[in-house]
Amino acid sequence: MAAAQLHTRPVGIIGGMGPAAGADFVRLFVNACNAYLTRTGFKVVDQAYPEHWLVQVPVPDRTEALCNGHDAPLPALQNAVERLQTCGANTVAIACNTAHAWHTKLQQNHPRVELLHVAREVARQLKNTGVKEVGLMATQGTYRTALYDTALSQAGIVCHCPLDNERETLMRGIYQGVKTGDLAYARACFVNVAQRLQSRHGDLTLIMGCTEIPLALEDAPEASHWRLLNPAQVLAQALAERAYN
Amino acid sequence: MAAAQLHTRPVGIIGGMGPAAGADFVRLFVNACNAYLTRTGFKVVDQAYPEHWLVQVPVPDRTEALCNGHDAPLPALQNAVERLQTCGANTVAIACNTAHAWHTKLQQNHPRVELLHVAREVARQLKNTGVKEVGLMATQGTYRTALYDTALSQAGIVCHCPLDNERETLMRGIYQGVKTGDLAYARACFVNVAQRLQSRHGDLTLIMGCTEIPLALEDAPEASHWRLLNPAQVLAQALAERAYN
């Protein structure tokens, strides 16, 4: 039986930011495992999936902390890393782009855990596929920390950001839209900003750089021919590769 | 802030049977939490969700064990309960109908954990809504253990099961369909059996008594006017109620 030859190790996912995005991250991870099994010729059965843990914990608002210059989200994130490590997960993904502002501290404080970095994974994939220019849809916290700018510029990729009022529109879509369950409102906000980015910069790849954005934007009729990149999907693929390594 | 008055406690979910259904169970749980918050007038923000853990572990095939009279799935299930308990989860849901065959043993061996029971939760909800008669779509393992028959008959509800060849069709839809990722094939199998049940017993409520079935059946065009009941949704609601209690 092919499954018996598979080498897997437990991995962990920190979610709750928001919880719907965390649930969706598990779906993306499972899809990535299925794709791995299919690609490598293993039979796709329940027992061929690696052990994986999701913990969804209340974490103080990330963007609020970054805009006000404090580290309120850090203790909850640290606690989650430690508890996932206790569960045997030595590779961990954070299902929230903005929370990566604390990636360096978390990684320094937990040197034995491999903490994946969403923007570096995205930059690597974009570089591998020859993309030179992108638009970034994200939270104010993510813009403020230049999370993607750093990783993308190191990969030689130009990153276009929305204007101030457009960033506010994205924040409304995330907070008053997805986080409260009003996907129609969120969709309208995200479509609006995506269209403005495209009208200024052409038909470019759009990074949905907040895990809430794909939940409302991916199935928008307007987006059916857009080049949308879901960083959660890239991160889930990276996590699946580690789980099977 | 309303969220500060909320009392929550950590809950756990055992998944991996299959992993796509486990991921979907978290989605249903998050939706149930959102509905609870909305119904009780609390603001829906990330921090208002209870801490919850999902562990997806490889568990030996449940139906195979039941058809061959052994307990191979039990150790993995016990281990998952214990580890979720270590994480602080004292109420646990199993995101697999067939695995409830080991519910009594698991509950006996872990008396300090409240282990929810999917069929009892479904029977309670059906009784509350006045349903008198249902059709049951499930695995051979679930039919063999009479999981739903017992709970439903105690609630005074008549349960119609498919014929032998129809049960085989459901098994193909689950194993060669959903578990391998071929949702179109699964959908055809499930629609076929649902239509046969309805042609014999009329327009009755159909219990999708295997967590894989809703993944393919719920969005089938044929099913748009059927009365489908998703036990995972009922179980997720019960878990959310416990998490907020």
Side-chain angles (χ1 to χ4, degrees):
Chain A
M1 182 183 160
Q5 303 156 20
L6 269 174
H7 297 286
T8 70
R9 54 200 189 84
V11 296
I13 300 158
I14 304 177
M17 303 168 279
D24 200 57
F25 192 90
V26 183
R27 182 184 68 83
L28 294 168
F29 176 76
V30 169
N31 285 350
C33 291
N34 187 314
Y36 177 93
L37 293 169
T38 304
R39 195 172 69 240
T40 52
F42 285 101
K43 200 173 168 188
V44 182
V45 293
D46 291 356
Q47 296 76 23
Y49 288 79
E51 178 181 311
H52 52 284
W53 292 77
L54 165 73
V55 56
Q56 304 230 81
V57 276
V59 178
D61 192 78
R62 286 67 63 195
T63 285
E64 188 278 325
L66 294 170
C67 291
N68 292 305
H70 62 78
D71 281 334
L74 187 58
L77 294 169
Q78 299 220 114
N79 186 259
V81 173
E82 282 155 24
R83 293 164 81 192
L84 287 171
Q85 209 176 355
T86 305
C87 295
N90 288 319
T91 300
V92 168
I94 306 168
C96 172
N97 290 265
T98 318
H100 281 72
W102 293 275
H103 181 278
T104 303
K105 282 184 187 170
L106 284 167
Q107 185 64 85
Q108 279 172 350
N109 294 345
H110 301 90
R112 290 169 58 195
V113 172
E114 180 192 26
L115 203 59
L116 300 184
H117 191 291
V118 65
R120 290 177 204 153
E121 298 294 339
V122 165
R124 184 180 304 141
Q125 175 165 314
L126 287 170
K127 194 177 179 183
N128 288 345
T129 50
V131 174
K132 302 284 183 205
E133 206 172 343
V134 297
L136 175 64
M137 301 170 72
T139 62
Q140 294 284 22
T142 292
Y143 291 124
R144 186 175 282 249
T145 54
L147 177 76
Y148 278 93
D149 312 55
T150 310
L152 292 171
S153 72
Q154 283 173 357
I157 298 162
V158 175
C159 179
H160 299 289
C161 292
L163 307 177
D164 281 349
N165 67 320
E166 295 164 354
R167 296 181 189 193
E168 288 303 331
T169 302
L170 291 178
M171 288 297 278
R172 283 195 299 276
I174 294 166
Y175 281 80
Q176 277 97 67
V178 179
K179 285 191 192 293
T180 71
D182 188 349
L183 294 185
Y185 177 72
R187 192 170 294 123
C189 293
F190 301 153
V191 164
N192 179 285
V193 176
Q195 286 174 331
R196 286 164 182 260
L197 277 169
Q198 289 173 103
S199 74
R200 280 200 298 277
H201 304 290
D203 174 28
L204 82 176
T205 296
L206 294 174
I207 297 178
M208 297 183 287
C210 165
T211 50
E212 311 285 40
I213 294 177
L215 302 184
L217 183 57
E218 271 187 332
D219 62 354
E222 296 89 340
S224 61
H225 296 291
W226 295 352
R227 284 185 279 163
L228 296 175
L229 187 141
N230 183 354
Q233 188 175 19
V234 176
L235 187 62
Q237 282 165 356
L239 190 66
E241 297 286 337
R242 303 300 199 287
Y244 281 118
N245 186 6
Chain B
M1 181 184 157
Q5 304 155 20
L6 268 174
H7 296 286
T8 69
R9 53 200 189 84
V11 296
I13 301 158
I14 304 178
M17 303 169 279
D24 200 57
F25 191 91
V26 183
R27 182 184 67 83
L28 293 168
F29 175 76
V30 169
N31 286 350
C33 291
N34 187 314
Y36 177 93
L37 293 168
T38 304
R39 194 172 69 241
T40 52
F42 284 100
K43 198 171 168 188
V44 182
V45 293
D46 292 356
Q47 296 76 23
Y49 288 79
E51 178 180 311
H52 52 284
W53 292 77
L54 166 73
V55 55
Q56 304 231 78
V57 276
V59 179
D61 192 78
R62 286 68 62 195
T63 285
E64 189 276 325
L66 294 170
C67 291
N68 292 304
H70 61 78
D71 281 334
L74 187 58
L77 294 169
Q78 299 221 113
N79 187 259
V81 173
E82 282 155 24
R83 293 164 83 192
L84 286 171
Q85 210 176 355
T86 306
C87 295
N90 289 318
T91 300
V92 169
I94 306 169
C96 172
N97 291 265
T98 319
H100 280 72
W102 292 276
H103 180 278
T104 304
K105 283 185 186 171
L106 284 167
Q107 186 62 85
Q108 279 172 352
N109 293 345
H110 302 89
R112 290 170 57 196
V113 172
E114 180 191 27
L115 203 58
L116 301 184
H117 191 291
V118 64
R120 290 176 205 155
E121 297 295 338
V122 165
R124 184 180 305 141
Q125 176 166 313
L126 288 170
K127 194 177 179 184
N128 288 345
T129 50
V131 174
K132 302 284 184 204
E133 207 173 342
V134 297
L136 176 64
M137 302 170 71
T139 63
Q140 294 284 22
T142 292
Y143 292 124
R144 185 173 281 248
T145 54
L147 177 76
Y148 278 93
D149 312 56
T150 310
L152 292 171
S153 71
Q154 284 174 356
I157 298 161
V158 175
C159 179
H160 299 290
C161 292
L163 306 177
D164 281 350
N165 66 321
E166 294 164 354
R167 295 181 190 194
E168 288 303 331
T169 303
L170 292 178
M171 288 297 278
R172 283 196 299 277
I174 294 165
Y175 281 80
Q176 278 97 67
V178 179
K179 284 191 192 291
T180 71
D182 187 348
L183 293 186
Y185 177 72
R187 193 169 294 122
C189 294
F190 301 153
V191 164
N192 179 284
V193 176
Q195 287 174 330
R196 286 165 181 261
L197 277 168
Q198 289 174 105
S199 74
R200 280 201 297 279
H201 305 289
D203 175 27
L204 80 178
T205 296
L206 293 173
I207 297 178
M208 297 183 286
C210 165
T211 50
E212 310 286 42
I213 294 177
L215 302 184
L217 184 57
E218 271 188 331
D219 63 353
E222 296 88 342
S224 61
H225 297 292
W226 295 351
R227 284 185 279 164
L228 296 175
L229 186 142
N230 183 354
Q233 189 175 17
V234 176
L235 187 62
Q237 282 165 356
L239 189 66
E241 297 286 337
R242 303 301 199 287
Y244 281 117
N245 187 5

